[in-house]
Amino acid sequence: MSTVTPSFPSIRMRRNRRTPWLRRLVQETKLTPSDFIWPVFVVDGEGQKTPVSAMPGVFRYSTDMLIEAVKDAKDLGIPMVAIFPFIDPALKTPDGAEAWNSDNLVCRAVRAIKDNVHYIGVMCDVALDPFNSDGHDGIVQDGIILNDESVECLVKQSINQAEAGCDVIAPSDMMDGRVAAIRAGLDGAGHQDVAIMSYAAKYSSGFYDPFRDAIGSGAMLKGDKKTYQMSPANSDEALREVALDISEGADMVMVKPGLPYLDIVRRVKDTFAMPTFVYNVSGEYAMLRSACDNGFLEYNRVMMETMQSFKRAGSDGILTYHAIDAATILND
Ligand code: PBG
């Protein structure tokens, strides 16, 4: 801080808050539509736009409807969408082999977007939980989530998504060593330019439940994810996770969930100065939305305040189900 420490009455903090133009002038962080990544749910079929319970305003789109939704996102200036599939339960197996089927729902969705919408990025999640009959992000044997065997599957899944045209691979599985293995796998298959955004500090959180319902993995999940996702009690451990993912080749890192972990976002940004993202997850969306739908809070105001908090905490971008609403407000 400065050596000059004047105080009241020569200093009046309210001077800089006096008028709207002055408040605008001294504003430290600014949101733009470029700050958002919009997570979208996809489902088989045609003409489908089915609501997700516990997430009012969020839908699962069939690929034809998805194209229109992604066009809207692009027109609003949103730089990227993230695809999450609701897989037909009949296709789920213990090894999640549908994840590396080149004609699976994710690949069809990516191709549909790439063939029909330009100038918007497509990100794909890497984890077995949408495809796995145990609802886990990796392979389960005798109740144990196997690490190295899971990583092999995640590499196949990543290459499959890259071949379909995915721009950014986003491993959300929290297996050890997966970023290095995926980087090597992508490079070996000629996908040097496909980027990796790792879910580097992903916590074992109660705020994912509406998402698990949206992709249909919640009812399948046996046990919990505490042997691979982080304990909400830990902060130093997040820095080790992020350091490892960077050393393994991550181009961008993510902290997840968002609001209860803003301290982690700040530490990660300050420590590594990496492109840092935050995932404002399904349970956070449900919480805010239901308070607003009950008339307890004013949606536009608290939603934008929430978005601002992520930017202020140091994130360069925000994965959020509010992306369309936020970008619409910013464009007006
Ligand atoms: C799956 C995955 C999850 C989310 C993104 N990818 C859920 C989980 O780990 O169980 C959560 C997203 C959200 O809650 O919005 N690997």
Side-chain angles (χ1 to χ4, degrees):
M1 291 306 253
S2 102
T3 48
V4 189
T5 51
S7 59
F8 183 81
S10 60
I11 287 292
R12 287 177 183 270
M13 293 301 284
R14 290 182 55 190
R15 254 185 233 127
N16 283 349
R17 300 178 195 141
R18 199 168 51 84
T19 63
W21 61 263
L22 196 42
R23 290 195 290 273
R24 233 173 349 116
L25 197 63
V26 299
Q27 184 169 334
E28 294 177 41
T29 59
K30 294 192 168 86
L31 287 165
T32 79
S34 303
D35 292 321
F36 301 109
I37 298 171
W38 185 35
V40 280
F41 297 110
V42 293
V43 66
D44 279 319
E46 255 177 63
Q48 300 292 315
K49 186 182 170 188
T50 59
V52 174
S53 64
M55 298 180 77
V58 173
F59 302 89
R60 300 183 194 93
Y61 300 89
S62 54
T63 49
D64 54 331
M65 304 291 279
L66 176 72
I67 292 167
E68 298 313 311
V70 174
K71 274 184 189 155
D72 291 344
K74 191 210 76 177
D75 290 343
L76 286 165
I78 292 173
M80 185 155 75
V81 293
I83 307 289
F84 295 95
F86 179 95
I87 298 296
D88 176 355
L91 297 172
K92 298 191 186 195
T93 53
D95 65 353
E98 178 67 6
W100 50 95
N101 166 7
S102 62
D103 204 33
N104 72 17
L105 179 57
V106 173
C107 295
R108 281 183 276 123
V110 172
R111 285 194 292 264
I113 296 171
K114 286 293 161 189
D115 289 347
N116 293 283
V117 198
H118 302 296
Y119 309 112
I120 188 161
V122 178
M123 179 163 116
C124 290
D125 207 66
V126 172
L128 298 183
D129 56 334
F131 305 97
N132 180 319
S133 45
D134 301 290
H136 273 289
D137 295 19
I139 305 240
V140 188
Q141 197 178 72
D142 304 324
I144 307 253
I145 290 81
L146 304 178
N147 193 85
D148 301 10
E149 293 78 353
S150 298
V151 170
E152 279 176 37
C153 296
L154 300 168
V155 171
K156 287 191 271 184
Q157 180 182 22
S158 302
I159 295 170
N160 187 38
Q161 293 175 161
E163 313 261 89
C166 166
D167 301 292
V168 178
I169 291 288
S172 71
D173 54 280
M174 291 295 280
M175 296 300 129
D176 288 320
R178 90 279 207 215
V179 173
I182 290 170
R183 185 69 270 160
L186 290 172
D187 289 356
H191 298 295
Q192 291 85 353
D193 291 335
V194 171
I196 298 178
M197 179 189 294
S198 76
Y199 288 67
K202 177 171 177 181
Y203 287 86
S204 176
S205 170
F207 286 99
Y208 305 148
D209 285 358
F211 170 95
R212 290 178 190 168
D213 175 58
I215 67 161
S217 71
M220 305 223 139
L221 181 61
K222 301 180 182 88
D224 57 46
K225 302 192 177 185
K226 289 181 184 167
T227 67
Y228 46 108
Q229 299 179 347
M230 285 181 53
S231 161
N234 296 352
S235 173
D236 290 344
E237 187 187 349
L239 300 187
R240 294 182 69 206
E241 281 284 6
V242 173
L244 276 168
D245 284 6
I246 295 170
S247 74
E248 291 181 27
D251 302 285
M252 302 170 250
V253 295
M254 192 206 296
V255 173
K256 176 186 178 187
L259 275 184
Y261 298 88
L262 291 180
D263 56 323
I264 309 296
V265 175
R266 172 49 68 194
R267 282 193 85 186
V268 167
K269 186 63 184 177
D270 287 350
T271 307
F272 301 104
M274 280 286 286
T276 303
F277 292 79
V278 64
Y279 200 141
N280 173 223
V281 302
S282 58
E284 299 173 60
Y285 177 90
M287 196 162 62
L288 192 149
R289 191 83 247 186
S290 54
C292 297
D293 290 349
N294 275 297
F296 302 146
L297 297 173
E298 190 187 319
Y299 179 72
N300 285 357
R301 189 160 179 202
V302 293
M303 187 270 288
M304 292 308 276
E305 186 177 334
T306 302
M307 297 304 128
Q308 191 77 70
S309 77
F310 295 126
K311 210 62 199 288
R312 195 189 61 236
S315 70
D316 297 292
I318 307 155
L319 287 96
T320 181
Y321 305 97
H322 300 293
I324 295 287
D325 291 340
T328 302
I329 291 170
L330 290 167
N331 278 305
D332 278 349

